[in-house]
Amino acid sequence: MHNRLLVARLAATMTVVCVLLHAGSAYGSPAAIMADTPNDSSLGKALWVATPEVTLPPAGVPTDYNRHLGRHPQPPSGVHVPAPKDRPVIVEEEGHADFTHQDNMPKKGSIRSAVAPGYQYTAPVLKGVVSALDPNKQSPLNSNAGLAFSSTASPYKPNGKLFDTSAIKTPLPTNKWWLNLVIEQGIDPIHPYPYVVKCLANASTVGFPKFQASATAMTSNMVSDWQIGDSTGALTQRLVTAYDALGVQVEWSGSNSNTKMAARFYKGLPFITYEMTNMAPVLSTIHAILKVEQLGLTVSSYGANSAGNATRLAKEIAEHPSLTQVTLNDGSQWLLVTKPTIQWKQTGNSQLTPATSTASFTGILQMAHLGDNPSSNVNVLQAYAGTYPTEGSVTYAKILNKQGVGRSADIVYFYKTNTDGGGDTSMIYSTRSVPTSMQLLTFMLPHHVDLLTNSSILSPGLSGYRSAKGPLTAVAGNIITYSQPLDGTQSFEGQHAMSASEKESIQRQLYVDIATNTNVTAPDPYFFGKGIAKIARLYQIAQELGDTTSAATLRDKLLGYMKPWLVTRTNSDPLVYDTTWGGVVSTAGLADPSADFGQGRYNDHHFHYGYHLYAGAVLAKYDINAFAPLREPLSQLLRDYANPSYADSQFPFMRHFDPYDGHSWAAGLFTFADGRNQESTGEAINAYYSAYLYALALGLQDTADFYEIVLNMEATSGRRYWHPTQAQAKAQFIAPFTHNAVGILWASKADYATFFGANPEFIYGIQMIPFTPATRLLLAADWVKEAWCPDGTSCSGGMKPAAESANKNGWAQFLYTALSVVDRNTALANVGTCTPDDGNTLTNALHWIATSGQQLVG
């Protein structure tokens, strides 16, 4: 419905590293699964990794428990594929803090894991983990029955000059954060926080955005502070050659096949790193260079904490990369890191080249802005210089209590790095056992910091780094875990039961709405989806009321509307399968990129199809036989926007969801200088709520576990960034942009507006719709109370004046329904006087207030 891009799928050979999971006393890591992996260099540029061998930390282990996690070799170049015999052997030391005996393992069943691409768990080996979702296998949503929709090719073709077509195949991701690299001319920026980067054919640029704000937007500039290239002009082509769960790999080359440059871009890294081969590096800046200072390291400055380790530290310092601090005339300071050493000399006002002739430099260059406190930040950064990730992955593990109920999930980011011996060691290092120069330094977003379970936040840390989501917090370690709360009350029903009087009033309104508000005539997938989901809500409510007659009527209406779209495909704007990108799109959207809200270019698929899936989930729950003809096409719509399998040859993995940001990106195959964006968090939450219900209705518990985690992650980010409290808004945004609601959040800016208008009721309401039991995840009571009347008196800028100015329309009804979380009586006095939105009914509003609003006492 609003505004929402291409690229890359690795060949089927790609897998992603597994990481350690834990839950109280339950720990486990994956068994190796690559026993048959060939030693075949033709696998090429896929970021190839196998899963680790098993090692199990004991209960109560320190947070840096990852020292003995076995891992498979992964060289920085990403091209060497080791044979199975190369798999490392786990070293366990009796008496070491990380050592555990088999009999200390937790009982089976304490963890259910729903995991990201490349992960596989073997239940007999991992007694603390119940094997849940293996994305390397076909999802149970995929029946292999063939496509339910006719096939056609998109007229909008991928630009094969921008990515390695031999390694990256259809189905192609269409909404990744880095998609600007691979659509149109590929020259628009990407936003690996805290930087802005462009990848040109002959060079890369790096900028450090400066944020500024007005009352209606917080924006950042797009200045490219530095350009990194080859002084001989040897680089003439750049390609995206691989991607993983968290980042993307870009390689530059030219007519001289020996000259190359490569970079892996991940969000949340203090250093931007370039690997150079036979290059004559040149760094150019748009500013004037005021000072170039070579930094030295001593045992004391490097952090020796006792005389006993001084000798060891002295040796490590000798092997440390060289460091150069550069001051520019815009007031900024940068740290340049090279290994092997480059002594930089200034050429003219704005260029750096090696002081000695270095026409064949092979090594790494890192660049880091020194933030707002250079003298302090440089001391932190130099200690971690030289380490960078070669691959990133994510694991989702649902933690069960003694009653077998999940109340939290561990979200684990795992980074392989070049200091793992370039892939030649079997150790992942802990913060206590190795120097900081072999540890990875990363930044976490505010919602990560709220939920971090390990004590790896640096003190002193780094200051002066931010994204559009707020200040960034420095964390050390290859493995970062945070505990994602799971609401635990999400189901088809609301949070609490209806009283007898509530049932009576809702039943009366249900009869009215069945007679007057169940016609669906919209020709496009978005508004049609809203219409059938509206009927499905009434069907669900009728079932809860025990009104079997109304339920049967509503079921038949649903089937009558849905079958022409999904079975006979005789509707006026039929859905088709796009063979070019790999997805289901509308016919009108395929022909016209502006039609159906950009649906043919993969805008908003989770918004649109989430409504369809909700209707299908309710049908499947209450009449599986009537649902049967719809199962295959609906399952394919779900696989289109939330496919849980990397083995699927028809749809990409989790098209919209970004595990680092914790939410989805709605923007599809369109370039934006500000990066990806999302407007309607409410509809994103509905998408994963519907996916969760659909999996539950079909008895797919493992798949449901995964969707439940994603649903709660989306809601957590929605509350933090689109619905911040006043205190959060002041901390994460810049005055005067301190609203308690954001209309559109981009990678590099925030808008107090929507794509269809700047009315406050639009901004508040679009973050709430549709009202289902899952909407309660967004509407925290403290936020609703603040947002309704921010100043406590005149309520200027709040939901109250927004609702009053909406003149009793559907937006006003949404805001009054939300008010019921803290003021049930005022909500009930107003919702009945409003005209419902085309995707809502008064029955649904009354039911939501009764079952999800403020609970009456007594």
Side-chain angles (χ1 to χ4, degrees):
M1 161 173 186
H2 325 291
N3 198 351
R4 320 305 165 204
L5 200 157
L6 146 106
V7 197
R9 173 178 172 85
L10 286 179
T13 55
M14 176 181 175
T15 61
V16 182
V17 190
C18 291
V19 304
L20 226 56
L21 305 178
H22 75 283
S25 60
Y27 292 78
S29 69
I33 62 170
M34 297 293 291
D36 298 322
T37 302
N39 186 12
D40 180 1
S41 61
S42 67
L43 295 181
K45 296 173 181 177
L47 289 177
W48 188 91
V49 190
T51 52
E53 301 285 355
V54 176
T55 182
L56 296 158
V61 72
T63 54
D64 53 355
Y65 56 75
N66 52 324
R67 179 171 178 264
H68 282 73
L69 176 63
R71 63 182 295 283
H72 214 295
Q74 168 59 31
S77 65
V79 297
H80 169 59
V81 181
K85 64 181 176 60
D86 294 327
R87 185 171 290 116
V89 176
I90 296 303
V91 179
E92 289 187 336
E93 305 169 34
E94 187 81 46
H96 190 278
D98 289 345
F99 180 80
T100 184
H101 289 286
Q102 188 75 10
D103 57 8
N104 290 332
M105 294 176 68
K107 293 181 179 179
K108 181 177 179 179
S110 57
I111 303 179
R112 293 189 64 87
S113 55
V115 298
Y119 292 75
Q120 175 166 322
Y121 298 114
T122 306
V125 175
L126 300 176
K127 296 182 180 179
V129 178
V130 176
S131 179
L133 184 67
D134 177 6
N136 280 330
K137 293 182 178 179
Q138 288 290 351
S139 162
L141 295 170
N142 185 357
S143 68
N144 295 311
L147 289 168
F149 306 94
S150 60
S151 297
T152 189
S154 172
Y156 185 71
K157 305 299 182 185
N159 187 342
K161 295 180 180 179
L162 298 177
F163 65 98
D164 185 348
T165 57
S166 67
I168 298 171
K169 309 281 188 181
T170 304
L172 302 169
T174 52
N175 301 71
K176 293 289 189 181
W177 67 267
W178 43 263
L179 215 56
N180 277 356
L181 294 176
V182 289
I183 56 173
E184 302 299 334
Q185 300 306 307
I187 59 176
D188 288 282
I190 60 172
H191 299 269
Y193 321 139
Y195 299 103
V196 57
V197 168
K198 291 184 179 180
C199 295
L200 311 177
N202 64 340
S204 178
T205 70
V206 176
F208 188 76
K210 297 176 178 63
F211 285 82
Q212 54 275 321
S214 67
T216 57
M218 186 183 75
T219 61
S220 63
N221 63 8
M222 297 291 163
V223 172
S224 295
D225 295 300
W226 291 96
Q227 179 167 301
I228 301 92
D230 181 87
S231 63
T232 69
L235 301 178
T236 58
Q237 180 188 38
R238 72 97 175 137
L239 295 173
V240 170
T241 55
Y243 69 94
D244 58 33
L246 294 170
V248 62
Q249 176 174 287
V250 181
E251 296 184 15
W252 288 260
S253 60
S255 55
N256 179 359
S257 61
N258 294 323
T259 301
K260 297 177 182 179
M261 185 169 74
R264 295 174 182 84
F265 298 110
Y266 293 91
K267 287 180 283 191
L269 293 180
F271 293 100
I272 296 288
T273 304
Y274 296 92
E275 298 166 346
M276 298 180 170
T277 303
N278 293 320
M279 277 186 58
V282 57
L283 310 182
S284 304
T285 175
I286 62 171
H287 312 289
I289 300 172
L290 300 183
K291 185 178 181 181
V292 180
E293 180 184 5
Q294 190 79 18
L295 302 182
L297 288 171
T298 66
V299 169
S300 58
S301 69
Y302 195 62
N305 53 26
S306 70
N309 65 6
T311 301
R312 175 174 62 84
L313 286 178
K315 179 177 182 296
E316 289 161 0
I317 289 169
E319 298 171 352
H320 199 276
S322 65
L323 309 171
T324 304
Q325 189 167 339
V326 181
T327 303
L328 304 178
N329 73 340
D330 67 339
S332 68
Q333 296 185 45
W334 292 74
L335 181 64
L336 307 182
V337 180
T338 55
K339 187 174 183 179
T341 297
I342 289 181
Q343 299 282 343
W344 296 100
K345 70 175 181 180
Q346 183 174 341
T347 305
N349 289 328
S350 57
Q351 194 172 86
L352 295 177
T353 57
T356 57
S357 177
T358 309
S360 59
F361 175 76
T362 296
I364 65 164
L365 164 69
Q366 293 185 303
M367 310 184 75
H369 192 279
L370 291 180
D372 63 3
N373 190 352
S375 60
S376 174
N377 289 340
V378 72
N379 289 330
V380 176
L381 288 168
Q382 68 177 349
Y384 294 87
T387 294
Y388 57 94
T390 57
E391 184 160 354
S393 54
V394 186
T395 290
Y396 314 77
K398 183 175 181 180
I399 312 303
L400 305 185
N401 61 18
K402 291 182 180 179
Q403 289 73 42
V405 178
R407 289 291 180 265
S408 68
D410 274 6
I411 311 302
V412 186
Y413 302 130
F414 176 84
Y415 295 94
K416 301 180 76 172
T417 73
N418 62 309
T419 55
D420 301 338
D424 296 329
T425 178
S426 61
M427 300 296 181
I428 295 298
Y429 298 106
S430 70
T431 55
R432 68 170 181 270
S433 59
V434 298
T436 54
S437 61
M438 299 184 75
Q439 299 169 36
L440 184 66
L441 186 62
T442 61
F443 283 125
M444 294 287 103
L445 293 169
H447 80 281
H448 298 137
V449 177
D450 293 342
L451 304 171
L452 279 175
T453 59
N454 49 7
S455 56
S456 53
I457 294 178
L458 287 189
S459 181
L462 295 169
S463 65
Y465 301 86
R466 66 168 299 122
S467 74
K469 292 182 168 71
L472 300 172
T473 300
V475 171
N478 297 41
I479 296 180
I480 300 142
T481 304
Y482 73 89
S483 181
Q484 171 63 56
L486 301 181
D487 178 78
T489 63
Q490 296 309 308
S491 67
F492 286 86
E493 295 80 24
Q495 281 72 25
H496 36 265
M498 294 174 282
S499 68
S501 61
E502 288 169 338
K503 285 184 177 181
E504 199 173 306
S505 62
I506 292 169
Q507 180 72 72
R508 286 196 301 269
Q509 185 60 40
L510 177 64
Y511 293 144
V512 174
D513 282 330
I514 290 174
T516 63
N517 198 4
T518 53
N519 290 330
V520 181
T521 59
D524 66 283
Y526 176 71
F527 286 110
F528 174 79
K530 288 182 68 176
I532 60 174
K534 172 179 68 177
I535 296 173
R537 283 297 297 147
L538 296 178
Y539 182 24
Q540 171 64 35
I541 293 166
Q543 292 286 355
E544 292 181 39
L545 293 170
D547 181 356
T548 56
T549 301
S550 294
T553 298
L554 291 162
R555 176 203 60 203
D556 292 344
K557 281 181 175 286
L558 267 182
L559 291 168
Y561 287 127
M562 295 177 74
K563 283 184 175 178
W565 274 76
L566 299 174
V567 180
T568 61
R569 295 183 292 285
T570 54
N571 61 304
S572 62
D573 185 12
L575 299 175
V576 295
Y577 178 79
D578 169 19
T579 58
T580 303
W581 299 91
V584 178
V585 296
S586 68
T587 298
L590 206 61
D592 178 358
S594 65
D596 298 344
F597 306 105
Q599 225 263 2
R601 295 280 185 92
Y602 296 91
N603 276 4
D604 302 352
H605 278 208
H606 57 327
F607 297 165
H608 298 192
Y609 297 150
Y611 286 113
H612 295 243
L613 264 295
Y614 180 80
V618 177
L619 276 170
K621 177 176 173 61
Y622 294 111
D623 195 333
I624 194 68
N625 292 326
F627 162 78
L630 305 175
R631 176 168 182 162
E632 189 58 37
L634 281 170
S635 292
Q636 290 183 23
L637 293 187
L638 178 52
R639 287 162 57 205
D640 174 90
Y641 76 83
N643 176 26
S645 170
Y646 253 111
D648 198 317
S649 62
Q650 295 164 331
F651 302 96
F653 183 89
M654 296 300 290
R655 187 183 300 280
H656 297 274
F657 190 70
D658 186 324
Y660 179 85
D661 287 85
H663 64 77
S664 299
W665 296 114
L669 298 171
F670 299 92
T671 59
F672 301 98
D674 293 305
R676 305 295 91 206
N677 67 71
Q678 179 159 272
E679 181 181 57
S680 179
T681 53
E683 289 174 314
I685 285 171
N686 180 64
Y688 301 116
Y689 172 60
S690 300
Y692 171 64
L693 296 184
Y694 187 82
L696 282 181
L698 297 184
L700 307 177
Q701 184 62 52
D702 299 338
T703 306
D705 285 342
F706 175 69
Y707 288 141
E708 182 185 17
I709 295 170
V710 173
L711 164 63
N712 280 270
M713 292 174 72
E714 187 85 38
T716 293
S717 288
R719 291 191 303 271
R720 195 62 160 87
Y721 306 123
W722 282 264
H723 280 181
T725 63
Q726 290 178 352
Q728 289 171 338
K730 290 177 181 178
Q732 64 197 36
F733 300 133
I734 297 173
F737 188 87
T738 53
H739 302 285
N740 52 25
V742 170
I744 311 166
L745 188 63
W746 305 70
S748 63
K749 75 172 181 175
D751 285 323
Y752 188 68
T754 71
F755 286 115
F756 52 94
N759 292 13
E761 65 268 26
F762 299 166
I763 297 166
Y764 284 110
I766 197 63
Q767 308 308 337
M768 301 175 184
I769 68 169
F771 272 76
T772 71
T775 311
R776 191 66 175 82
L777 290 171
L778 265 179
L779 298 179
D782 59 346
W783 179 83
V784 173
K785 185 176 181 179
E786 279 190 357
W788 188 257
C789 190
D791 58 12
T793 53
S794 67
C795 305
S796 174
M799 285 170 58
K800 184 176 187 289
E804 292 170 348
S805 67
N807 196 27
K808 302 298 183 179
N809 65 13
W811 294 108
Q813 188 176 65
F814 290 137
L815 302 194
Y816 283 118
T817 304
L819 177 63
S820 71
V821 171
V822 295
D823 186 350
R824 183 188 184 101
N825 292 333
T826 301
L828 285 170
N830 284 276
V831 292
T833 66
C834 299
T835 302
D837 173 75
D838 56 3
N840 198 28
T841 63
L842 180 55
T843 299
N844 186 53
L846 295 172
H847 178 270
W848 198 92
I849 292 170
T851 62
S852 297
Q854 184 183 38
Q855 189 168 11
L856 295 177
V857 178

